[in-house]
Amino acid sequence: MLRWASIIIAVIACVAGLAACSVLGIVDSLTPTDTYIATENLVYGPEPREMLDIYQPRPADAAPPPRDGYPVVVFFYGGTWRSGERREYRFIGEALAARGI
C-alpha cells in the first residue's frame, strides 16, 4: 500500500511540475543546440522588444556554404505585441537551420 501511495504522489508531483512549464518551454528544452549557429538579440529599432535572432545552418566541417547562399525564412511568432518571447520558438529556428534554411 505504501508503495502505491509513493507512486501516486510521484505522478502528481510530475504532473504539477509539467503544468508549471509551458508547452513551448518543454519543446525548447528538447531542442538540440549543436545543429545551428545562432546570432541573438540583433537590434533593428529603438524599442526594447525590437530585436531579432538569426539561425543559420552549421556547415559540415568540409562542406562550404551553398554558392548562392542559404534560403531565408522570416518567422513572426504569434501572440500579441505585448506578450510572447521570440526565444520560445528556438525549436523552429533549429528545425529550419538543420535542414539548410
Side-chain angles (χ1 to χ4, degrees), residues 20-92:
C21 298
S22 72
V23 173
L24 293 176
I26 293 168
V27 172
D28 187 53
S29 70
L30 299 173
T31 302
T33 58
D34 61 347
T35 56
Y36 60 90
I37 299 168
T39 307
E40 299 176 334
N41 302 320
L42 295 172
V43 176
Y44 66 84
E47 298 298 320
R49 291 177 54 99
E50 293 179 340
M51 290 190 276
L52 60 92
D53 298 337
I54 296 176
Y55 297 87
Q56 66 187 65
R58 180 178 298 280
D61 294 339
R67 191 177 76 208
D68 297 332
Y70 296 109
V72 174
V73 171
V74 177
F75 174 75
F76 295 95
Y77 61 89
T80 68
W81 291 110
R82 295 179 185 196
S83 69
E85 294 290 330
R86 68 185 182 283
R87 286 181 196 84
E88 294 174 342
Y89 295 91
R90 182 175 60 90
F91 68 96
I92 293 175

